[in-house]
Amino acid sequence: MTRLKKNSLKRLPEEGGFRPTSRTYSKFNRIDGRHPFQKATKDSFVAYRARVRHGGEVVAFNFDLAREMGLIPKNHPNVMTDELKDAILDTFAIVIINEYDQINNIEYPKEDIKPHFYMATRYLQLQHPNKQGKTSGDGRSIWNGYLESKNGIWDISSCGTGATCLSPATHIQKKFFQTGDPSISYGCGYAELDEGVSTLFFSEILHKNQVTTERVLGILKFPDGFAITIRAHNNLLRPSHMFNHLKQGNLEALKMVVDYYIERQEKNGVWTDMPREKNKRYDKFLEKQTEVFAKTAAKFEDEYIFCWLDWDGDNVLMDGGIIDYGSVRQFGLFHSEYRFDDNDRYSTSITEQKNKAKYTVQNFAQIVDFLKTGERKPLKEFAQTGWSNEFDRVFEMSKLKNLLYKIGFNKETRDALVDKHYELVKDFQKVFSYFERAKSVAGPKEVNDGITWDAIFCMRDILRELPQLYLSRGESISREEFIEILKSSYALEEDLALSSYRKKRVDEFQVLYWQLIKAGATIKKSTINTVLLDITMRSSVINKYDRVTGDSITTITNMLMEKIDKMAPEKLYRLLHNFSEYQNLDPDTDKNLDKNQWRKSQLMRGFLKVVREYREGL
Amino acid sequence: MNLVFYSGGTEEENLEVDEECLHLLDNPNPTMVFIPSSSYDGEYEFRHFVRHYQTFGITRFLYFPVDVPQDNVLLKEVFQSDLIHLDGGNTYYFLNCLRKRGYLAFLKEFALSGGVLSGLSAGGIIMTPNIKTAGYPDFDCDENEDGVTNLRGMNLVKFEFFPHYKNSLRYDRELRKQSRLTKNPIFALPDGSGIIKTEESMQFVGKAWCFHQGVKTLINT
């Protein structure tokens, strides 16, 4: 039983007599394989015919995203009408007619064959034998097309639509595979349902927390148990879409892809200040990409997002967005030594992501020079050119601002603190980092999918509690109390010893924290208590006790998989909506959730327990 | 002992209860603790709470969700504060969390030693001998999804509390029936009303009815 609020909940559209007309789902017809990339570029994709894949069911549909994309009307309820289901299946339940089918003269009914070509795009991938990207790209995905709406242009691609000639398996085994070939897993061209569900939940949560990412529009399931995951984003190009041409010295193709990318960013209103002159545009392109990747690397590090950035530029989008959630994780603590074991190699660690991002920009610098001069100079020549300093500057500034955000300062104060109290913020960052990076005396250890070395302190907890305690007491807390709040479940007794050095660091942390608060009060022309209270409220959201980790998403996906067969898409959507809103830790947005709804769902109650249980994990 | 029972309603409707509540505080710069019924969206409820009480000049607040583990530092601070507010929500879930983490005894001790304990709706029900009023009437009750069987509350008063009361036949029918099953009087309050209970007195703010042994009596207008 609860108090009624003045600002009543923004209701989600419900069924309420909604009747689709013949035009309601007409936008789906525009998604037919055709895409401007096909005309704007060369040597950048393999075109495939596609046919209807029968027997599909809609497991999930992201109504919020569909409305945002303009794919369904704004007033469309969160209801899977028969007409909507048909539109989804007609558009996305497809499988390519691949090389194996053609070589073996496999015939399909004419009426099943789609009228237009779909593209599997070419890009560089480190797991391919050819390190120039001559044979790699979308191994089990195709691009369904694009959609132009008031909210910009959206690229739409699907994973699990058949084996293409660009999968690693084709080139390692030197043969074309039949789609669904059970002798080979990844190379068979199909996708697993749990991959899609996991991506759906993880990406939607990160999206709500202002992390740029691909999003899942829907998931289809087929009688053989495999699935198609439909993904959408404003621009699905990855750095690796350029790096293949760069490595091959294919200037013409490279230029086309870069030009295409710049134009799309302009059309989407993301880049509004691009010069008209060609070379200046490329310089600006490098400037933008430097900023994007420096900010992205800082964000990943500060939000403990592990995304396996690497030299091929494959696991990230050009705009820094996350794509392919296979190895993506969000840690509860700063487990900076975790490495994913990908059978034949270990991944980068979270702290190495910065240099990988920087290396990616170094490639952009090489690209720009190549485009401007027509001569491809060695990559190492671009290691220390102007962009490099700019990358370091943006990275450092982003790290400082991210830290101030996590403390709970609003944007205006963050900017002013970095501007006017740079040394103070920097000093605080150092001491913060000392605790954040502290590791257990137990040393490195193996975990089920890699190796790690446990972090021992939960910085989110201290940032959440400190302003409240300062507000209540008006003074610092004791060193013992500080460690009591900070300690995580990973910490052993020896890890928590208060050595004279650590005592000094605890004191330093508190002195600098107070100075930041005082500086914030001066900037805001308000009292220390007002600033502490504001920070208390913001920090309680940002550093909420429960935050999802990669492990919790995996467990939640497993729980869902047990029930998903009998779950209507509407119900899955409600779970997605409520769960992602509950995990929306952005203090500047209002949550749109019904206070008591979560308790009515046994699954949702289970999700919350899982998040709590795994909150400090990997 | 200083207890305040809020029935519910908007912030404006509760201004009078708020004023009476704040009169109970003897610290000119008090610390108020907000305990949400669940941490699901508790931070947002906390924000509403802070913004409201800031208008009375209060500047020190603590946020203390009880369905997540808490360290001893914050725990001690909470029970050294001036006022603890138990918010509204699902009464069964709230009581269960408070009991599981052993906070009921702390809260009782806090109230008995002079701290101001306020409860809104579910929070108020928990301060009474039991939380049976959360389970009726069928058309307006909390769901016991967690299967809570121990319905004993903090037993700080000798009455039961029925918030969000609407003066209508269907509520009355149920309340008359239930009042015959308990020896305690049931105070039924509409939104905006409240009860201020101290060692010496009990004061009603706004309209209040008492249901006792099947009889309904208007006790404050």
Side-chain angles (χ1 to χ4, degrees), chain A residues 68-220:
Chain A
E68 198 179 320
M69 290 171 69
L71 189 57
I72 57 174
K74 273 189 179 157
N75 65 345
H76 194 289
N78 302 320
V79 171
M80 183 59 60
T81 62
D82 289 342
E83 294 87 344
L84 176 58
K85 190 173 70 184
D86 290 345
I88 295 168
L89 291 174
D90 287 347
T91 309
F92 299 109
I94 57 171
V95 59
I96 57 168
I97 299 170
N98 70 4
E99 292 79 359
Y100 179 94
D101 299 331
Q102 290 167 35
I103 291 165
N104 291 285
N105 292 319
I106 299 174
E107 289 195 3
Y108 298 101
K110 260 188 181 169
E111 63 273 20
D112 277 0
I113 297 172
K114 295 283 180 180
H116 301 289
F117 284 95
Y118 291 75
M119 63 178 179
T121 58
R122 292 180 177 277
Y123 50 82
L124 193 62
Q125 272 188 314
L126 59 79
Q127 63 266 47
H128 269 256
N130 181 289
K131 302 298 178 196
Q132 292 184 314
K134 285 181 177 168
T135 56
S136 52
D138 295 317
R140 54 175 183 162
S141 299
I142 48 89
W143 290 42
N144 299 93
Y146 75 112
L147 187 71
E148 216 165 338
S149 74
K150 281 178 191 164
N151 284 341
I153 304 169
W154 296 80
D155 289 334
I156 304 152
S157 84
S158 287
C159 177
T161 47
T164 79
C165 65
L166 302 174
S167 86
T170 300
H171 296 282
I172 292 165
Q173 301 205 19
K174 299 194 188 327
K175 68 172 194 172
F176 295 114
F177 286 93
Q178 183 177 21
T179 294
D181 183 339
S183 70
I184 184 134
S185 60
Y186 184 85
C188 85
Y190 282 160
E192 304 285 345
L193 181 57
D194 60 350
E195 290 175 62
V197 172
S198 169
T199 304
L200 172 69
F201 274 73
F202 212 164
S203 60
E204 209 57 19
I205 289 166
L206 291 183
H207 167 72
K208 287 204 169 138
N209 286 288
Q210 319 301 329
V211 175
T212 311
T213 176
E214 63 163 335
R215 291 168 72 189
V216 173
L217 177 64
I219 305 172
L220 312 181

Side-chain angles (χ1 to χ4, degrees), chain A residues 1 3 465 468 472-473 544, chain B residues 9 39 60 63 71 89 121:
Chain A
M1 293 194 174
R3 184 191 296 230
E465 290 195 21
Q468 300 187 60
S472 176
R473 294 185 189 181
K544 187 181 175 89
Chain B
S39 62
R60 303 198 300 173
Y63 173 61
D71 55 70
S121 187

Side-chain angles (χ1 to χ4, degrees), chain B residues 26-200:
Chain B
D26 54 11
N27 183 347
N29 188 16
T31 297
M32 292 177 87
V33 178
F34 178 80
I35 302 187
S37 60
S38 92
S39 62
Y40 184 67
D41 58 350
E43 312 84 26
Y44 290 86
E45 300 295 327
F46 175 55
R47 194 190 287 179
H48 284 293
F49 181 81
V50 169
R51 298 236 164 99
H52 177 62
Y53 286 100
Q54 268 182 314
T55 61
F56 294 94
I58 314 280
T59 60
R60 303 198 300 173
F61 296 89
L62 293 170
Y63 173 61
F64 193 72
V66 291
D67 54 355
V68 295
Q70 296 286 358
D71 55 70
N72 288 328
V73 183
L74 195 60
L75 181 70
K76 273 188 201 162
E77 202 71 16
V78 163
F79 291 104
Q80 285 170 9
S81 68
D82 301 285
L83 181 148
I84 296 177
H85 176 81
L86 304 172
D87 203 35
N90 184 289
T91 317
Y92 299 101
Y93 180 82
F94 199 5
L95 177 68
N96 203 28
C97 294
L98 288 166
R99 176 165 288 128
K100 269 204 299 199
R101 299 205 183 270
Y103 295 149
L104 285 175
F106 283 116
L107 286 167
K108 201 164 175 176
E109 174 60 28
F110 174 82
L112 293 173
S113 57
V116 178
L117 185 62
S118 69
L120 167 75
S121 187
I125 294 172
I126 287 170
M127 285 150 60
T128 69
N130 63 66
I131 63 161
K132 286 179 189 164
T133 58
Y136 62 82
D138 285 348
F139 55 85
D140 185 17
C141 65
D142 285 348
E143 287 179 46
N144 187 358
E145 292 98 347
D146 298 285
V148 178
T149 52
N150 183 352
L151 303 183
R152 272 178 297 160
M154 277 189 260
N155 200 20
L156 290 167
V157 290
K158 297 292 171 214
F159 61 82
E160 293 175 32
F161 179 53
F162 187 91
H164 310 301
Y165 170 69
K166 289 178 186 71
N167 187 14
S168 71
L169 274 177
R170 59 181 194 156
Y171 275 91
D172 288 358
R173 204 175 298 129
E174 185 68 21
L175 278 159
R176 283 180 204 276
K177 187 178 112 189
Q178 294 293 338
S179 71
R180 287 190 197 99
L181 306 173
T182 174
K183 62 180 184 339
N184 300 312
I186 302 170
F187 292 142
L189 275 66
D191 286 349
S193 291
I195 307 170
I196 316 294
K197 173 81 179 79
T198 64
E199 286 295 342
E200 304 81 27

Side-chain angles (χ1 to χ4, degrees), chain A residues 275-451:
Chain A
R276 294 324 312 161
E277 198 269 317
K278 201 172 60 180
N279 283 350
K280 283 184 183 161
R281 279 171 79 79
Y282 294 140
D283 288 336
K284 194 77 179 173
F285 163 78
L286 177 59
E287 195 184 308
K288 301 265 189 203
Q289 289 306 119
T290 304
E291 188 183 348
V292 163
F293 274 77
K295 282 185 174 172
T296 299
K299 178 109 176 167
F300 285 174
E301 200 171 292
D302 292 324
E303 293 298 328
Y304 307 167
I305 293 171
F306 169 79
C307 181
W308 196 352
L309 295 181
D310 220 317
W311 62 267
D312 57 355
D314 170 31
N315 276 6
V316 69
L317 294 167
M318 280 294 290
D319 65 2
I322 297 174
I323 187 156
D324 287 350
Y325 274 75
S327 55
V328 172
R329 285 180 169 276
Q330 184 170 36
F331 304 149
L333 311 178
F334 196 57
H335 294 296
S336 57
E337 298 295 328
Y338 169 81
R339 287 172 197 278
F340 179 72
D341 182 357
D342 194 26
N343 300 323
D344 56 344
R345 72 182 81 79
Y346 279 117
S347 71
T348 50
S349 69
I350 199 165
T351 48
E352 289 167 353
Q353 290 184 148
K354 177 202 168 184
N355 282 340
K356 295 292 183 184
K358 199 169 174 182
Y359 187 78
T360 304
V361 182
Q362 191 175 332
N363 277 270
F364 290 134
Q366 188 190 23
I367 284 175
V368 166
D369 184 77
F370 188 22
L371 294 175
K372 285 163 68 177
T373 64
E375 180 198 349
R376 190 181 55 160
K377 301 185 186 82
L379 183 60
K380 63 181 180 199
E381 286 188 19
F382 299 93
Q384 292 303 325
T385 48
W387 69 269
S388 175
N389 292 337
E390 180 60 9
F391 181 97
D392 290 337
R393 190 192 67 79
V394 174
F395 181 80
E396 191 197 331
M397 294 303 268
S398 301
K399 291 275 297 174
L400 295 179
K401 287 184 182 176
N402 291 346
L403 177 56
L404 294 172
Y405 171 83
K406 290 202 286 190
I407 291 173
F409 289 110
N410 64 20
K411 187 176 184 311
E412 188 192 3
T413 314
R414 293 197 295 270
D415 290 345
L417 279 171
V418 171
D419 193 33
K420 294 176 183 162
H421 301 272
Y422 175 81
E423 289 304 326
L424 170 61
V425 183
K426 195 80 190 134
D427 287 345
F428 182 73
Q429 184 191 40
K430 279 182 203 154
V431 70
F432 183 89
S433 192
Y434 160 76
F435 288 106
E436 186 178 49
R437 290 172 189 233
K439 296 282 178 292
S440 172
V441 294
K445 65 180 188 187
E446 282 189 14
V447 287
N448 62 356
D449 65 351
I451 52 168

Side-chain angles (χ1 to χ4, degrees), chain A residues 565-584:
Chain A
D565 279 346
K566 290 179 183 164
M567 195 180 288
E570 291 94 333
K571 186 172 178 191
L572 186 60
Y573 166 78
R574 275 199 300 277
L575 276 171
L576 172 72
H577 177 86
N578 286 333
F579 188 63
S580 56
E581 280 293 309
Y582 148 74
Q583 278 297 303
N584 177 358

